[in-house]
Amino acid sequence: GAVVSQHPSRVICKSGTSVKIECRSLDFQATTMFWYRQFPKQSLMLMATSNEGSKATYEQGVEKDKFLINHASLTLSTLTVTSAHPEDSSFYICSARWQGISPLHFGNGTRLTVT
Amino acid sequence: GNSVTQMEGPVTLSEEAFLTINCTYTATGYPSLFWYVQYPGEGLQLLLKATKADDKGSNKGFEATYRKETTSFHLEKGSVQVSDSAVYFCALSDRRNTGNQFYFGTGTSLTVIP
């Protein structure tokens, strides 16, 4: 089946630094990639939708200058958390789909801890 | 609009018990329906899907039938195992009306005890 690789799986950073998370579709071209944030024991909160070669569409309440998303190719999207703060600590999950009504394929997530 | 309402957990069952996790949806168009499973510390994995009314999705002993008349997509398994312990998410996608967006339920945590 389709594989989405997300890296790193865990990262600890100091407050004020930036962290980049990569999401790669390994065996298909992802026309659309999504970034979610998941709080403990809660569902996924969609942060933004990105289509290859165009600007990401952010959900209401998500700061686009803080969560920078780049979808430079059909197999790679990155999320950069800029000037991270402890409240940004969370589980971030990317997902990708090929086209049409194909299912979402998820990465294994990144546990971000900001100290 | 589109939304998914999912049975709240947590659910605790003994091994070999019957499992039902309820899921109902609201959609303006013709959604596809999905169940995803999340094991501890991991991302979500597609468990099964159904793309039109009366379709039955099945995988690993789990089943769910797309019921348009009751707008439901309940997840069932006849005999659960300890390895089924995870969080289960019901989701819908209605590409015709909302582009590529997926809508997720809040998730139901299942713990199976030996």
Side-chain angles (χ1 to χ4, degrees):
Chain A
V3 177
V4 173
S5 174
Q6 187 172 341
H7 178 81
S9 58
R10 291 180 180 274
V11 58
I12 301 172
C13 70
K14 292 186 177 180
S15 192
T17 61
S18 295
V19 174
K20 179 183 285 187
I21 303 170
E22 290 189 349
C23 181
R24 294 179 183 274
S25 57
L26 297 184
D27 55 358
F28 68 102
Q29 292 184 325
T31 53
T32 306
M33 287 187 169
F34 304 86
W35 286 95
Y36 292 87
R37 183 173 179 177
Q38 187 179 31
F39 294 98
K41 299 184 179 181
Q42 294 188 27
S43 188
L44 295 87
M45 182 191 79
L46 179 64
M47 298 175 66
T49 302
S50 72
N51 294 296
E52 184 265 340
S54 62
K55 290 185 178 181
T57 302
Y58 290 81
E59 296 299 302
Q60 191 172 6
V62 178
E63 299 176 61
K64 62 181 180 181
D65 293 330
K66 181 167 188 62
F67 298 100
L68 301 179
I69 291 172
N70 184 278
H71 192 164
S73 75
L74 283 170
T75 59
L76 174 64
S77 177
T78 59
L79 166 67
T80 302
V81 183
T82 63
S83 186
H85 291 284
E87 57 265 32
D88 298 325
S89 298
S90 192
F91 194 57
Y92 294 87
I93 308 176
C94 74
S95 66
R97 72 190 306 181
W98 173 49
Q99 65 180 25
I101 57 172
S102 64
L104 282 182
H105 301 283
F106 286 84
N108 278 340
T110 298
R111 173 71 61 192
L112 170 64
T113 303
V114 184
T115 60
Chain B
N2 296 319
S3 67
V4 175
T5 302
Q6 192 173 336
M7 168 181 168
E8 288 196 20
V11 174
T12 302
L13 295 174
S14 297
E15 205 165 21
E16 299 184 1
F18 184 86
L19 168 71
T20 300
I21 301 178
N22 290 336
C23 172
T24 57
Y25 67 90
T26 302
T28 54
Y30 304 91
S32 296
L33 301 174
F34 306 84
W35 277 101
Y36 282 85
V37 58
Q38 184 180 32
Y39 298 101
E42 298 184 13
L44 278 69
Q45 300 174 26
L46 177 65
L47 181 60
L48 52 85
K49 66 176 181 178
T51 58
K52 62 183 187 297
D54 299 326
D55 270 2
K56 177 187 283 188
S58 61
N59 186 25
K60 299 180 181 179
F62 291 89
E63 293 183 341
T65 301
Y66 189 143
R67 301 284 189 200
K68 189 176 180 182
E69 63 275 15
T70 54
T71 61
S72 65
F73 193 55
H74 304 322
L75 182 68
E76 297 182 336
K77 186 174 185 181
S79 176
V80 293
Q81 305 300 313
V82 173
S83 57
D84 294 326
S85 298
V87 180
Y88 293 82
F89 292 91
C90 184
L92 74 82
S93 175
D94 180 10
R95 183 174 185 272
R96 188 177 306 184
N97 291 293
T98 58
N100 291 311
Q101 189 161 332
F102 267 60
Y103 298 84
F104 287 89
T106 53
T108 301
S109 174
L110 169 67
T111 301
V112 180
I113 55 177

